[in-house]
Amino acid sequence: MPSRRTVLAATMGATAALAFGGTARADDEGLRALVSRMTLEEKVGQLFVMRVYGNSATDPAQADIDANLKEIGVRTAAELVAKYRVGGIIYFTWAHNTENPRQIAALSNGIQRASLGLPRGLPVLIATDQEHGIVCRVGRPATLFPGAMAIGAGGSRGDARTLGRISGGELRAIGINQDYSPDADVNVNPANPVIGVRSFGADPDAVAALVAAEVQGYQRSRVAATAKHFPGHGDTAVDSHYGFPVITHTREVWEKLDAVPFRAAIRAGIDCVMTAHIQFPALDDSGDPATLSHPILTGILRGELGYDGVVVTDSLGMEGVRTKYGDDRVPVLALKAGVDQLLNPPDLSVAWNAVLKAVQDGELTEARLDESILRILRLKARLRLFDDPYARQADVDRRVGTKAHLEAADRIAERTTTLLVNEGGLLPLSPRTHRRVLVVGADPASPSGTTGPPTGVLAAALTELGFTATALSTGTAPSAATIAKAVTAAGDADAVVVATYNLTATSSQKTLAEQLVATGRPVVAVAIRNPYDVAQLPSVKAHLASYSWTDVELRAAARVISGKVAPRGRLPVPVQRADDPAQVLYPIGYGLSY
């Protein structure tokens, strides 16, 4: 592995003596010198953050080589860096980038080595979506924390800061230096299909405080945090992965609601802001998505909010940004709007060549590219990637998934579980009076790196707590036969725990719960995603919200059910009545305890 001196020499040439710990002015002089020596093609490459398949930078599996050739026209991550000189790489579980911590560290080092070995080679920003909760790319044995809405239910800025510090430290140890987290959206729409529990909640001030705290935690670990999705994705019923959402907030509402967490993130020194593929007519009536909007990104984010850090698009493969323009126009328009980093275009060759041509034709100036590249290089310098770009295997073993980190995640989770209903003091359950517990319900695919399925995790956790618990998966849409099987099994149980997942008035999950209640057995419902499920189940005598179905949150819910810990969470969003959504059933801040 190259030494610090070799890395500096390779990346900085005549400016190798530049002291990044010195003044900002001196830093900028050296960085500007770097930019001045880059070719136009190298500058274009620095703007892109790209996916790549494989668990190794140089020797991935043949299937990953084939996927890379088909989608990118290269065989490996090393070839991707050499051909396109990309400034960033994004890791995904489905791209086989994140199998285990040691492998991830080796992949990261391979990518850095490949880039730094090129003429005028630069360190790479290696990013991923490690939000925790339902969106995680690096799984066990790394430490997994409750998701944002659960943290919102806990309400502790200290816990949010601890999450950022520990998560950032583990990411940095495996060579990931940028995290696309925290989510700064204020989730005020219960029907939001893409944000929901990824948000800290519906109160903009509470969301702002937790966003700022998490950012501070990541900063302590020298990992770039990213506030997303500007100007605010919290009030939409359309998933921008598959459609083009429209936010109908007035400018006044935006100022008081959506803007508040982003302002807090900027005050906290946020390293990066991610754009949203949403239409926001009150901020820009052109019909363009915010990602391509000069009034929103340059006029508001940079001008009015005073932000001069890196702006990254959300994935350019999402439908929300591809509805109006072709894949060759989107990256050019994004740069003209004020974006710095172009994330994961569906066809890198098309996007890369479109930006190159736009400069050659005069639509974009090279000076405009230089502005973005300087911001990107400033971020790399702030993260000390010029003098410390590599992961160390000793740090992987010493810092990732340690006992202390795992215990911290468990303690935080215990402060998030929210008890919403407890008629007749049904909870906590005792093994002495309710030894045999049947756990039924939805088993959605587990978030990355968790054991799953949820019913199995709950049953195992309850068994460890002294119960005799059995799991029966009934799915998100149980059939009549499946419901009958569960009702029969309930006959041999002293109590039933049913895991619910995004209930609706017509959901057969609701029928399942109602028929289990009709058996006369005590029924405890655990909403394993959205807390709004409670409004659909008035007949259930005990109801908990865990905000996710990751192991750490399900184990905490089991400890609350057993009384090993008292419930402490408070709703970070209001729950409306099912029969009259204009009426609030449980307000923000509601939660019971023992």
Side-chain angles (χ1 to χ4, degrees):
M1 185 178 298
S3 67
R4 176 179 181 273
R5 183 182 300 274
T6 305
V7 171
L8 282 166
T11 57
M12 306 196 65
T15 62
L18 176 67
F20 279 98
T23 67
R25 182 173 177 275
D27 290 358
D28 257 19
E29 287 177 1
L31 296 176
R32 290 177 193 277
L34 281 179
V35 176
S36 71
R37 289 195 297 277
M38 294 168 66
T39 67
L40 175 58
E41 289 77 9
E42 290 166 2
K43 290 179 179 181
V44 171
Q46 275 297 298
L47 304 172
F48 284 93
V49 181
M50 190 60 185
R51 70 188 178 279
V52 65
Y53 290 87
N55 61 4
S56 164
T58 56
D59 188 28
Q62 186 60 48
D64 292 320
I65 292 174
D66 294 342
N68 284 329
L69 287 170
K70 179 180 178 182
E71 295 186 19
I72 316 173
V74 298
R75 294 167 50 85
T76 67
E79 289 183 13
L80 167 65
V81 170
K83 181 175 181 178
Y84 289 103
R85 302 300 290 260
V86 293
I89 297 284
I90 180 172
Y91 287 170
F92 290 106
T93 309
W94 51 259
H96 310 140
N97 304 139
T98 57
E99 294 176 353
N100 62 73
R102 280 181 160 264
Q103 166 270 319
I104 299 169
L107 171 62
S108 301
N109 285 345
I111 290 169
Q112 298 291 9
R113 194 176 298 115
S115 184
L116 291 165
L118 297 168
R120 298 170 301 280
L122 294 167
V124 178
L125 282 168
I126 297 177
T128 199
D129 292 284
Q130 192 79 350
E131 296 179 16
H132 294 276
I134 70 171
V135 176
C136 260
R137 313 301 186 204
V138 180
R140 298 173 70 221
T143 306
L144 297 175
F145 285 90
M149 192 170 284
I151 298 297
S156 167
R157 284 177 288 182
D159 285 349
R161 195 175 296 111
T162 297
L163 184 158
R165 176 179 57 79
I166 292 176
S167 177
E170 295 195 8
L171 291 175
R172 184 73 190 214
I174 58 178
I176 295 172
N177 46 57
Q178 184 171 17
D179 190 8
Y180 295 140
S181 184
D183 192 305
D185 300 310
V186 182
N187 197 80
V188 294
N189 188 342
N192 195 322
V194 64
I195 304 301
V197 293
R198 297 167 62 193
S199 161
F200 288 109
D203 181 320
D205 293 325
V207 172
L210 296 172
V211 165
E214 190 171 308
V215 168
Q216 291 162 356
Y218 278 107
Q219 288 169 335
R220 285 188 57 183
S221 299
R222 286 195 294 122
V223 166
T226 304
K228 60 188 186 185
H229 307 78
F230 190 82
H233 209 313
D235 188 8
T236 172
V238 175
D239 185 340
S240 51
H241 289 84
Y242 310 108
F244 190 14
V246 179
I247 305 293
T248 58
H249 293 178
T250 64
R251 175 64 190 249
E252 182 180 17
V253 169
W254 178 80
E255 290 279 2
K256 294 179 178 178
L257 185 76
D258 307 278
V260 176
F262 289 101
R263 290 184 188 275
I266 292 168
R267 285 195 300 270
I270 189 73
D271 294 298
C272 188
V273 172
M274 179 179 284
T275 68
H277 303 326
I278 57 174
Q279 200 179 147
F280 211 127
L283 306 183
D284 178 0
D285 61 4
S286 68
D288 286 345
T291 297
L292 310 182
S293 170
H294 189 275
I296 291 175
L297 299 187
T298 298
I300 296 175
L301 178 58
R302 296 211 188 278
E304 296 179 23
L305 272 59
Y307 176 68
D308 193 37
V310 171
V311 174
V312 61
T313 70
D314 206 342
S315 170
L316 297 184
M318 293 166 59
E319 191 60 31
V321 79
R322 303 174 75 191
T323 299
K324 191 174 178 182
Y325 301 100
D327 292 337
D328 59 334
R329 293 300 299 156
V330 165
V332 175
L333 294 172
L335 291 169
K336 292 176 76 171
V339 157
D340 301 306
Q341 288 185 304
L342 302 161
L343 176 62
N344 201 28
D347 189 321
L348 179 58
S349 177
V350 167
W352 191 93
N353 282 292
V355 174
L356 182 67
K357 185 175 186 298
V359 178
Q360 292 170 338
D361 292 349
E363 184 179 5
L364 286 170
T365 66
E366 196 164 346
R368 168 65 191 89
L369 266 58
D370 291 352
E371 292 176 13
S372 286
I373 293 162
L374 185 59
R375 291 191 189 101
I376 293 166
L377 294 185
R378 283 172 181 154
L379 177 54
K380 292 180 180 183
R382 195 156 58 248
L383 296 174
R384 292 182 55 200
L385 295 182
F386 287 98
D387 61 357
D388 189 18
Y390 293 107
R392 300 173 182 83
Q393 290 295 349
D395 288 341
V396 176
D397 298 334
R398 187 168 65 246
R399 297 181 183 174
V400 179
T402 66
K403 184 173 184 287
H405 289 178
L406 296 172
E407 288 176 349
D410 279 335
R411 287 194 300 270
I412 289 173
E414 288 173 354
R415 294 190 277 271
T416 69
T417 308
T418 307
L419 178 62
L420 298 173
V421 178
N422 193 24
E423 293 183 19
L426 173 58
L427 292 179
L429 297 181
S430 167
R432 294 189 300 276
T433 56
H434 299 91
R435 175 169 293 278
R436 296 171 300 171
V437 177
L438 173 68
V439 181
V440 303
D443 274 330
S446 289
S448 300
T450 62
T451 54
T455 56
V457 174
L458 276 169
L462 289 168
T463 296
E464 289 179 10
L465 291 164
F467 297 89
T468 302
T470 56
L472 175 61
S473 177
T474 50
T476 55
S479 65
T482 298
I483 293 172
K485 183 178 179 181
V487 167
T488 299
D492 296 323
D494 299 313
V496 180
V497 174
V498 56
T500 67
Y501 183 91
N502 296 359
L503 288 189
T504 64
T506 59
S507 171
S508 57
Q509 291 183 64
K510 181 178 179 180
T511 305
L512 167 68
E514 290 169 343
Q515 292 197 19
L516 288 169
V517 169
T519 67
R521 295 293 188 270
V523 174
V524 179
V526 181
I528 62 173
R529 185 166 179 165
N530 292 332
Y532 313 111
D533 291 4
V534 63
Q536 299 290 345
L537 296 175
S539 63
V540 173
K541 304 300 184 186
H543 200 114
L544 295 163
S546 71
Y547 307 98
S548 181
W549 60 104
T550 52
D551 297 355
V552 69
E553 288 161 296
L554 294 175
R555 290 196 307 265
R559 290 195 291 276
V560 169
I561 290 170
S562 72
K564 185 173 178 62
V565 298
R568 294 170 59 182
R570 298 292 183 266
L571 279 175
V573 294
V575 174
Q576 286 86 11
R577 293 178 59 96
D579 57 352
D580 184 5
Q583 299 296 315
V584 172
L585 182 63
Y586 301 111
I588 291 176
Y590 181 84
L592 305 174
S593 192
Y594 305 145

